[in-house]
Amino acid sequence: MNTVRWGVLSVSNHYRLRVHHQLAGSELSKVVAIASRDTTKAETAARELGIRRSFGSYEALLADPDIDAVYLPLPNHLHAEWVKKAADAGKHVLCEKPFAMDAAQAADAIRYAESKGVKVMEAFMYRFHPQWAHAKEVVQSGEIGKVLFVHVQFTFNNKDPRNIRNILEAGGGAIMDIGCYACSSSRFIMGKEPVRAISLVSRDPEFGTDALSSGILDFGDARALFTVSTQAFPVQQVDIVGTSGSISIFIPFNMYGDVPAEMRIVTGIGPRTVRLGPAGQYRLMFDAFSKSIIEGKPVPTPPKDAIANMRALDALFRSEKSGNWEKII
């Protein structure tokens, strides 16, 4: 095998607008099929995107023997179910974030998939962008000293009641949709797990989803702070502050694929702006996953990372109810 043949479960706007065009021309990852629960939608998407085959059900796509792996950009509450169904069909799985509705559900789905002999990974695409690889290298080099805190801001404004991000039962809300990035990126930079968390959550009176949430993750000798919102002016930035320097990543998560990313590094010598890319972070993620299949090696982001991130989210929700610090277990 030199190329992994991919199927996509869902004709989601996320896949159509952000992911598909980045995969064009890849020698490792070829999208050969797309499925919807509506045959017409699947056919239309396949025609518009130039995908050879379409299916009017997810089950039909999974039954296709010519598909090696599937990408799941489904609503959050469907992730675990379809990870298991894909595993039953012998397909490797790249599952959108957050991996499941809670850590227990994530762990169960991952154990099930691994028992079927398939590879599974959570799709945190930002980690594959060279700006994050460089930030990690700078931190590990000791150039900014010991990291003391990470500060994450990530917001957008969407008040559409039909949007899946505003449907509580489907796993909507700021913490699940974008707070997961705040937790993941902080853990990535720290290189370890937080021990406890506290949150302050404001919920939309109509949707019941958290529309404005802040949290602190306690890493023992360092901390991560974040604010996320589904009803604020769109901003995103990550600041990493150490004892002898800082790093600011200006478009940390939804970075454009056709322009260089910019980050600012400040030390005692002075400030500098580093430009990295352009880079298609979705293509880099798909190709890294495909390479692990082709070479029979572990996936680049181990499945246990998805469970660990869900544990942090679980603690934040427990803290919302208790009003106290909650252990991350």
Side-chain angles (χ1 to χ4, degrees):
M1 179 191 293
N2 296 315
T3 302
V4 174
R5 299 163 298 180
W6 285 85
V8 180
L9 295 191
S10 167
V11 295
S12 74
N13 284 332
H14 170 69
Y15 176 76
R16 292 159 65 106
L17 298 176
R18 298 187 184 94
V19 182
H20 182 77
H21 70 280
Q22 289 197 9
L23 300 179
S26 172
E27 295 299 323
L28 295 176
S29 309
K30 297 291 185 183
V31 178
V32 300
I34 191 166
S36 170
R37 289 172 289 188
D38 183 313
T39 300
T40 300
K41 284 185 177 180
E43 291 173 348
T44 300
R47 182 172 61 253
E48 291 176 350
L49 298 174
I51 298 173
R52 294 203 310 265
R53 297 198 294 281
S54 64
F55 296 92
S57 73
Y58 302 150
E59 291 88 351
L61 184 149
L62 293 178
D64 188 336
D66 293 328
I67 294 172
D68 306 306
V70 293
Y71 172 56
L72 305 185
L74 294 166
N76 298 337
H77 70 300
L78 298 178
H79 288 177
E81 173 187 355
W82 286 96
V83 165
K84 289 183 176 182
K85 289 181 177 180
D88 283 335
K91 313 300 186 189
H92 304 288
V93 186
L94 180 61
C95 180
E96 262 303 334
K97 57 76 207 165
F99 195 89
M101 295 292 278
D102 56 43
Q105 190 181 70
D108 176 65
I110 288 169
R111 279 194 301 267
Y112 189 89
E114 291 180 332
S115 75
K116 298 292 182 177
V118 302
K119 298 182 183 296
V120 60
M121 188 176 86
E122 187 174 24
F124 271 121
M125 76 297 179
Y126 78 90
R127 289 192 180 184
F128 296 86
H129 196 286
Q131 68 174 342
W132 278 97
H134 188 65
K136 182 80 168 180
E137 289 170 0
V138 171
V139 168
Q140 291 179 328
S141 74
E143 184 180 0
I144 67 167
K146 179 185 178 301
V147 173
L148 297 177
F149 69 87
V150 176
H151 187 198
V152 182
Q153 301 174 70
F154 197 4
T155 64
F156 62 83
N157 198 336
N158 184 329
K159 298 181 181 179
D160 180 1
R162 298 165 298 178
N163 190 283
I164 202 72
R165 294 165 185 82
N166 293 323
I167 300 175
L168 183 63
E169 297 76 15
I175 289 178
M176 289 288 277
D177 191 56
I178 47 182
C180 62
Y181 283 104
C183 293
S184 174
S185 58
S186 300
R187 295 173 45 253
F188 178 67
I189 286 298
M190 296 289 188
K192 57 185 178 181
E193 299 301 329
V195 295
R196 60 177 183 160
I198 194 168
S199 66
L200 182 61
V201 173
S202 298
R203 291 189 174 269
D204 183 278
E206 178 184 353
F207 306 145
T209 54
D210 63 303
L212 175 64
S213 295
S214 299
I216 304 174
L217 303 180
D218 179 7
F219 288 84
D221 57 352
R223 64 195 59 166
L225 307 89
F226 72 84
T227 295
V228 292
S229 177
T230 59
Q231 297 181 10
F233 181 78
V235 297
Q236 55 177 291
Q237 182 164 322
V238 173
D239 295 296
I240 305 161
V241 178
T243 54
S244 56
S246 66
I247 303 170
S248 294
I249 305 176
F250 299 120
I251 308 182
F253 306 120
N254 293 337
M255 183 57 210
Y256 305 107
D258 58 352
V259 294
E262 289 191 357
M263 63 197 312
R264 183 177 174 85
I265 302 173
V266 182
T267 65
I269 297 174
R272 70 182 186 272
T273 298
V274 179
R275 296 176 179 86
L276 296 157
Q281 57 189 357
Y282 289 103
R283 176 169 173 171
L284 291 171
M285 175 179 65
F286 269 77
D287 282 354
F289 190 92
S290 293
K291 188 176 181 181
S292 73
I293 295 171
I294 294 167
E295 297 180 351
K297 295 181 179 179
V299 296
T301 304
K304 66 180 182 180
D305 187 85
I307 301 169
N309 211 56
M310 289 304 311
R311 286 176 178 152
L313 300 187
D314 289 351
L316 291 165
F317 285 122
R318 290 197 304 273
S319 176
E320 175 195 0
K321 294 178 179 179
S322 71
N324 300 315
W325 285 96
E326 294 287 340
K327 290 182 179 180
I328 297 176
I329 53 176

